[in-house]
Amino acid sequence: MADFEGLYNYWIVIVLAMAGLYIVIARGNLIKKLVGLNIFQASVFVLYISFSKVSGGTAPILEKGIDVYSNPLPHVLILTAIVVGVATTALGLALVVRIRKEYGTIEEDDIHSQDESM
Amino acid sequence: MLKAHLPALVIIIPMTCAALCVLLRRKDWAFTVALLATWASFAGSCLLLVRVINEGVISYEMGGWPPPFGIELRVDALNVYLLIIVSGIGSVVAPYARNSLLLEYVEDRAYLFYSAYLLCLCGLMGVSITGDAFNLFVFLEISSLSSYVLIALGFDRRALTAAYQYLVMGTIGATFIVIAIGLLYQATGSLNMVDISKRLPEAGYDNTTVIAAFAFLVVGAGLKIALFPLHQWLPNAYTHAPSTVSAFLAATATKVSVYILLRFVFTVFGVRFSFEILPTATPFLILAILAMFLPSIVACFQKNVKRVLAYSSVAQIGYMILGLGLVSVAGLTASIVHLFNHALMKGALFLVLGCIFYRIGSCHIDRMAGIARQMPWTMAAFVGGGLSLIGIPLTAGFISKWYLILAVLEKGWWYLAVLIVTSSLIAIIYLWRVIEAAYFREPPDDLKEVSEAPLNLLVPAWILVLANFYFGIDTSISVGVAEIAAKALMGAG
């Protein structure tokens, strides 16, 4: 039981990752797919932040009396990954806008049937 | 002075010039900048090749921070091989972009195309040169994001959905890779690839974190490679992208992803972990054989020639993975040589299709009927590239298959050699359909008289076709460097 609670963050990571991937696969709406993709990426952010935590450590600030602090490197890495995620989402949404203009819909099935009938 | 900074320059030049293109805005200026940047990058890669052959591995400390703390750019034989492929194809395709652009999108925004093109080049070069695992992810995303943009620029509206599909699949793949890198960091406390490989034995090979990292990495890289059955994004993306982009991406993007797989599986995880402790070789071999056959058969039934070539690309990846799955110096040599040769042949064929598209506005096999009479030089280039794709002696394609068959026979698996030859025969079927239509069928009635493609389209295509023949005869560079790279990969284990 203690193990389960100690790994609380990682359970959240798994739930988020699975929920995100499921949305990407199961939903036909292009925007919802992007939301799913974002949730999936967010799970990775949580993963990185979780394993940078050092028990009993505080924020990594150079100050007298602070000896134990969390590993700041994954924080920095994940800032980069968040930027990449934002760029991906922005580009994805831009594509959806263009798709909507060309097809008049953002439902995958409708787009597919329009392509088939061409 | 400048020479010492070469490893950084080959990626920084395209990166800064990408920004410069946006600032200049004028189409001709942007084109000139893009052309010079790709050529400078290629020249730098060639100098690096000479240095690696003479002096061995080059390690460059980015910003003066020594590895494993700072980001290291590390150039060994495999890295420089990839640099040459990417920048070489980039420089041949860049002059081609100018004309094939005109038909396909709005002219006043052409500078954005050149900018995205340079960013894509920069990302692919960065992946090939970096020694830092997280840096690799960042460069991978730079190249992926710009390639989504490039694909979406296609003429057809289906280019948009293809780009969207690739964006979703590509992001999942890249996220898997970043999970793998995170888990590796958790297990070893390092991000430098060489450093990780040294620390992994301490972390223990039965460490579940490491095994999970390996699984995430292989699947993530598999998505980016379009390894069968994770290839669904590729045919649409290559079919609907503008001709220039299809040629550039088909020749470079999947190759760089194969490099990621090779680098992690062999150098970072090591041969002992990847193949002795985990039974990875057999799944790779099975997927490779499936990839060699099923997409090839699908290619035989496609009407759009670009789609035929796209499926053929998936099949060709099978050969690369087959060489990897053999886990021997000979097998890896075959894989690495095929990275190079396949870039040459697919680059050539897609450029030829671009010439045809430029004139008749379609790559449909029925529209291409009788085209050889009107565009003899273009179709002759197609036949040349096609011969190489099939693997006829004296072409680059033959060299790849020859080394692959030697590697298979070295293991004593003659039935695999039979499969390799059989799958090449399928390539004859799908290429013959195109050649038959172009040379022996009557042109469609409504087809206007067309002339030969303009020289700045035809010359890049022919350069690659002739390169196919050159590297089919003189293999001292292509196979020589690949062998050094393969030995280094196997020796790291």
Side-chain angles (χ1 to χ4, degrees), chain A residues 10 21 24 29-34 37 40-41 43-44 47-48 51 71 73-74 76-78 80-81 84 87-88 91-93 95-96 98-99 102-103 108 111 114-115 118, chain B residues 109 132 134 137-138 141 144-146 148-149 152 154 156-161 163-165 167-169 171-173 175-183 185-186 189 191 216:
Chain A
Y10 295 96
L21 269 184
V24 174
N29 185 310
L30 298 186
I31 301 239
K32 287 184 184 168
K33 270 180 190 290
L34 283 181
L37 208 58
F40 177 52
Q41 287 182 317
S43 78
V44 182
L47 173 75
Y48 269 71
F51 68 62
N71 183 353
L73 181 65
V76 182
L77 296 181
I78 230 55
T80 315
V84 170
T88 313
L91 180 59
L93 289 174
L95 283 174
V96 175
R98 286 288 314 278
I99 289 173
E102 297 283 336
Y103 287 86
E108 207 176 28
I111 293 168
Q114 282 188 38
D115 277 342
M118 258 169 59
Chain B
R109 287 194 218 140
D132 182 275
F134 198 83
F137 160 73
V138 175
E141 281 297 58
S144 308
L145 284 169
S146 44
Y148 309 145
V149 175
D156 195 322
R157 66 175 180 180
R158 277 171 293 178
L160 296 170
T161 42
Y164 180 88
Q165 196 186 9
L167 180 134
V168 170
M169 302 279 265
T171 306
I172 293 175
T175 310
F176 269 48
I177 292 177
V178 87
I179 294 176
I181 293 169
L183 293 176
Y185 177 70
Q186 198 176 0
L191 285 169
F216 273 113

Side-chain angles (χ1 to χ4, degrees), chain B residues 74 76 78 193-194 196-198 200 261-271 274 488-490 492-493:
Chain B
R74 203 181 147 78
D76 69 6
L78 182 58
M193 294 200 265
V194 177
I196 294 176
S197 71
K198 283 184 196 139
L200 263 186
L261 188 67
L262 286 173
R263 180 56 83 208
F264 272 91
V265 166
F266 286 89
T267 307
V268 175
F269 287 99
V271 178
S274 304
L489 282 177
M490 287 302 289

Side-chain angles (χ1 to χ4, degrees), chain B residues 163-322:
Chain B
Y164 180 88
Q165 196 186 9
Y166 184 20
L167 180 134
V168 170
M169 302 279 265
T171 306
I172 293 175
T175 310
F176 269 48
I177 292 177
V178 87
I179 294 176
I181 293 169
L183 293 176
L184 275 177
Y185 177 70
Q186 198 176 0
T188 61
S190 180
L191 285 169
N192 184 293
M193 294 200 265
V194 177
D195 199 37
I196 294 176
S197 71
K198 283 184 196 139
R199 290 177 182 217
L200 263 186
E202 293 166 33
Y205 283 137
D206 50 354
N207 187 330
T208 43
T209 313
V210 179
I211 296 173
F214 185 80
F216 273 113
L217 187 106
V218 170
V219 176
L223 262 167
K224 297 299 276 185
I225 295 172
L227 172 60
F228 183 87
L230 302 170
H231 66 280
Q232 267 83 0
W233 58 267
L234 188 142
N236 279 331
Y238 285 9
T239 309
H240 300 303
S243 318
T244 320
V245 176
S246 307
F248 179 63
L249 290 183
T252 55
T254 46
K255 313 293 168 298
V256 170
S257 309
V258 171
Y259 159 78
I260 297 177
L261 188 67
L262 286 173
R263 180 56 83 208
F264 272 91
V265 166
F266 286 89
T267 307
V268 175
F269 287 99
V271 178
R272 202 172 106 71
F273 175 78
S274 304
F275 296 104
E276 285 168 29
I277 295 174
L278 293 178
T280 328
T282 322
F284 272 138
L285 288 178
I286 293 170
L287 289 179
I289 293 165
L290 287 175
M292 278 155 51
F293 281 92
L294 298 179
S296 298
I297 294 169
V298 176
C300 295
F301 295 96
Q302 298 302 320
K303 284 282 184 189
N304 186 326
V305 183
K306 261 178 138 179
R307 197 175 277 276
V308 171
L309 293 184
Y311 275 106
S312 148
S313 276
V314 182
Q316 298 289 318
I317 285 158
Y319 296 120
M320 298 167 202
I321 301 299
L322 186 72

Side-chain angles (χ1 to χ4, degrees), chain B residues 29 38-39 60 103 106 148-149 248 279 288 303 367 385 432 445:
Chain B
W29 293 2
T38 46
W39 286 358
Y60 178 84
L103 265 180
V106 202
Y148 309 145
V149 175
F248 179 63
K303 284 282 184 189
R367 305 289 306 168
W432 176 250
D445 299 332

